Amino acid sequence: MSIAANIEKIKQQLSQNIKLIAVSKTKPVETLMEAYNSGQKIFGENKVQELVGKFEQMPKDIEWHMIGHLQSNKVKYIIPFVALIHSVDSENILLEINKQAAKINKIQQVLLQISIADEETKFGFEEAELFNLLVKFKNHEFPNIEIVGLMGMATFTENEEQIANEFAGLKKLFDNVKATYFSSQESFHQLSMGMSSDYQIAIANGSNLIRVGSTIFGGR
Ligand SMILES: *Cc1c(COP(=O)(O)O)cnc(C)c1O
């Protein structure tokens, strides 16, 4: 099937409030342009250099999302144009994003990545760390940051019940954080969960932002 047909097939499964991010990492610009020309305007990348390169080469009405682990020294390259950073996984990164956003008078929208998988390799905050950070956030320590939601990656397993439990746990945490810290803010509304192998399970458990790569572009 064509890239356009792959996107169409996924979109047919999504209700209006759910957004699809086309995860285009490792794919060349010509391939991304096929998706763009079919109407896809949101792309996700996981490496700074690749993200910057594609931003420079592609049309300017694209919404670029950073979905991969960030190093502090590279934050400055993406702040001028990135729409949403999904992968904020430490206070240090948040401080650096705040600093770089302040330099250009931007309020940078971010998601906080939460560790939900049963794997050491995945990045993200534990719940206790998250609540500590939210207190600091509420004390205005990060004036150039807007936290608009949470992100999580489930364990890489065939066990769908485990995946569903992990996503359901993150949805519960999301609702709790929203009620406790953002009850008056409409902007805290994004829950980024689900990739090619598990986006249907993620949607069933409350995701409204799915990050799909190989089902659109083929294997890497
Ligand atoms: C690569 C990647 C995806 C997409 O993975 P697919 O299995 O190709 O859909 C989603 N989220 C993150 C954080 C990724 O790095």
Side-chain angles (χ1 to χ4, degrees):
M1 275 208 302
S2 69
I3 286 170
N6 293 339
I7 291 174
E8 188 49 37
K9 198 171 158 202
I10 297 166
K11 286 203 163 152
Q12 278 167 5
Q13 303 166 48
L14 306 181
S15 60
Q16 275 240 304
N17 64 320
I18 302 175
K19 281 205 264 181
L20 169 65
I21 299 162
V23 175
S24 47
K25 62 194 189 198
T26 78
K27 302 294 176 184
V29 163
E30 305 80 74
T31 306
L32 276 65
M33 282 307 296
E34 275 186 58
Y36 177 84
N37 289 330
S38 83
Q40 180 66 28
K41 296 287 159 68
I42 312 177
F43 290 83
E45 289 282 336
N46 70 338
K47 297 220 160 74
V48 166
Q49 205 176 357
E50 194 175 339
L51 176 57
V52 170
K54 287 173 177 172
F55 162 73
E56 284 169 354
Q57 292 173 66
M58 292 187 62
K60 292 297 169 280
D61 62 341
I62 291 175
E63 203 181 283
W64 291 101
H65 289 213
M66 177 62 185
I67 63 170
H69 177 67
L70 263 173
Q71 289 168 309
S72 289
N73 59 347
K74 299 201 174 145
V75 166
K76 59 178 176 285
Y77 301 115
I78 63 170
I79 297 302
F81 69 91
V82 77
L84 183 63
I85 302 173
H86 292 231
S87 43
V88 172
D89 55 10
S90 71
E91 190 176 328
N92 271 344
I93 280 294
L94 203 60
L95 278 168
E96 181 64 17
I97 294 170
N98 185 65
K99 180 175 150 193
Q100 298 299 335
K103 283 188 188 167
I104 58 165
N105 277 320
K106 181 183 186 186
I107 304 291
Q108 179 64 56
Q109 296 201 333
V110 306
L111 306 177
L112 301 179
Q113 182 171 353
I114 310 301
S115 167
I116 57 170
D118 185 14
E119 291 164 25
E120 289 292 314
T121 50
K122 295 213 167 120
F123 294 101
F125 291 101
E126 301 295 333
E127 283 192 29
E129 292 175 297
L130 171 71
F131 286 109
N132 278 335
L133 184 70
L134 288 169
V135 169
K136 294 185 181 180
F137 184 75
K138 278 288 143 179
N139 289 334
H140 309 286
E141 291 189 25
F142 308 98
N144 289 75
I145 302 265
E146 183 173 34
I147 299 174
V148 297
L150 303 180
M151 181 273 227
M153 291 172 85
T155 304
F156 185 70
T157 171
E158 307 263 281
N159 184 343
E160 297 199 347
E161 197 183 317
Q162 180 180 353
I163 296 170
N165 281 335
E166 290 172 356
F167 285 149
L170 183 54
K171 171 69 161 98
K172 202 172 150 203
L173 179 65
F174 174 88
D175 289 340
N176 178 2
V177 167
K178 185 169 176 69
T180 311
Y181 294 94
F182 298 100
S183 55
S184 60
Q185 274 157 266
E186 301 253 315
S187 58
F188 188 89
H189 72 289
Q190 310 215 61
L191 183 53
S192 169
M193 347 187 259
M195 24 207 276
S196 291
S197 58
D198 57 18
Y199 72 85
Q200 277 127 335
I201 305 173
I203 290 167
N205 287 284
S207 170
N208 57 18
L209 210 49
I210 60 171
R211 312 176 309 270
V212 180
S214 45
T215 298
I216 296 174
F217 296 109
R220 291 180 295 270

